[in-house]
Each structure stands twice: as structure tokens, then as C-alpha cells.
Amino acid sequence: MELAHYSDYAVRLVNSEDPARGKDALTSVEAVRALFGASRSAARRATDADVTRFRSVRGRLRAVFEAADDGDETLAVDLLNSLLLEFPVNPQISGHDVRDDDGRPLWHMHLADHPSNATAGYAAIAAMGLAFHLTEHGVDRLGLCEASPCRNAYLDTSTNRSRRYCSDRCATRANVAAYRARKRLETEPKPRTGLAADSAQRNTASGER
């Protein structure tokens, strides 16, 4: 697995909250464990105390996306570096018992589970994955959905750096809203200008006398 793929951990955690609608899915230890996905051994270490700790890390990760979305590269990097310092990773070379055609292990870098607690382990993986994504693709590849009121985080992997929405659903909703706005402008009466406006003003003045 490429280390940049671990950035999905950051996106999953950030998007467990919908600030604009006042919704928060991170309300139980079961919700914390679900964020780990297939990493069940790491998820089993989660306790009720991790709910609060995960929320704290989530806020700091969202701040990284917000800084990137605002175009403040230095702030985004500084915020991410602070997470990397607080939650160091344990890299390992792994084969996961996968072999190539010649029967040799397909060696690759893997981030091992953190030994202390579930939050530290998740934060280390999420921060390192996001760091690899940022350095490999650029800060402008981290964004927040432009389909109001959604502000979900996303990672732009498009070839032309054109992604603006977190999902196809949000993209469709934004396009429909823009289309309806254009149609409203087209049907609204246009203000009179030039001679037509002057004539209308004179006629109004004449009628008032």
C-alpha cells in the first residue's frame, strides 16, 4: 500500500462531523472503532475515553483542510507538522503474505499500529498519510466541499486539479442550484437604461403633475 493512501484515515475522521448542520457521528466507542475499517486489531483497543480524544484530533485535522482550502500553505503545513510531532509513526516493511509471479514477497512500506492507545495510533496514521499526500500532490489537493452547506473534506486526485466537491451528489446539487439561479436571472425584468429609461422617467413625471 502506498503511504499516501493512509490519508483516507484523515478524511474519514474529519467527515464524521457536519458542523453546518450540527451533526456529529462520533458519539460512541463503536463509532470510533468503525473509523478503523479493516484494521480490527487496532479498533479493539478503543475505549470510551477515545471518543473525546478523537474529536480533538478531528478538529486539528479539519484545521489543516481549512488552511489548505484558504490557500494558506504555510499554515496547513505547520498544523500538520504539529500532529506529526505529537503522534509519531512506526514504519515497517511488510509483505502481507502477498507474492509476485516468482513467489517473492511484494515488499512495501506499512505503518504499524501505535502501541499506546487507539487515538494515538489513528492520529499517527492519518497525519502521516495526509503528509505524504500533501508532499506528493500539493497543498491545493486538500479541499473542503463547495456545495453549501456541506463542508466535507476531500482529496483531489483529478488529473487537472479540478475537483471542488466531496461527492457526485454534492456536485449535482451545486450544478442544479447554479442552473436555477441562472434561470431566475433570465426571467427577471431587466432595468431600463439610456433613452428608454429617460422617457419612462419623463412620462412618470408628467403623470404626477
Side-chain angles (χ1 to χ4, degrees):
M1 178 184 290
E2 296 180 9
L3 294 181
H5 290 177
Y6 284 108
S7 55
D8 290 338
Y9 277 67
V11 173
R12 288 204 299 270
L13 179 53
V14 171
N15 292 347
S16 66
E17 181 185 28
D18 187 346
R21 298 184 177 93
K23 296 181 179 179
D24 188 350
L26 200 55
T27 58
S28 66
V29 66
E30 288 76 18
V32 168
R33 289 171 179 162
L35 289 171
F36 283 89
S39 302
R40 297 182 179 180
S41 60
R44 281 195 293 268
R45 292 203 305 272
T47 66
D48 290 332
D50 284 301
V51 176
T52 301
R53 291 195 290 253
F54 261 68
R55 286 177 173 176
S56 176
V57 172
R58 179 179 63 190
R60 294 170 66 182
L61 286 170
R62 175 172 283 278
V64 176
F65 279 92
E66 289 174 343
D69 192 62
D70 289 340
D72 194 336
E73 296 188 17
T74 301
L75 178 58
V77 170
D78 287 345
L79 292 171
L80 192 50
N81 274 335
S82 69
L83 283 164
L84 292 170
L85 287 171
E86 185 173 346
F87 302 105
V89 297
N90 298 309
Q92 291 181 345
I93 299 174
S94 175
H96 286 313
D97 298 325
V98 179
R99 305 280 173 168
D100 62 16
D101 294 336
D102 296 325
R104 295 176 300 185
L106 294 175
W107 301 114
H108 61 276
M109 292 301 298
H110 173 77
L111 299 183
D113 292 338
H114 201 282
S116 57
N117 60 65
T119 301
Y122 195 99
I125 291 173
M128 181 56 72
L130 204 55
F132 271 99
H133 191 94
L134 185 153
T135 54
E136 183 175 345
H137 302 291
V139 179
D140 58 338
R141 292 298 187 122
L142 279 60
L144 294 173
C145 187
E146 292 184 4
S148 179
C150 179
R151 294 295 282 167
N152 274 352
Y154 65 83
L155 300 170
D156 185 3
T157 56
S158 63
T159 56
N160 57 355
R161 300 174 181 264
S162 61
R163 185 170 180 178
R164 295 293 179 269
Y165 307 103
C166 68
S167 64
D168 290 340
R169 179 181 179 182
C170 276
T172 299
R173 183 159 53 85
N175 289 334
V176 169
Y179 172 79
R180 289 174 177 172
R182 288 195 300 271
K183 285 299 181 182
R184 282 196 299 270
L185 289 175
E186 291 172 2
T187 56
E188 287 179 355
K190 295 180 174 57
R192 296 179 178 180
T193 59
L195 295 176
D198 293 340
S199 176
Q201 289 177 353
R202 286 195 297 271
N203 290 338
T204 300
S206 299
E208 291 175 350
R209 286 196 293 267

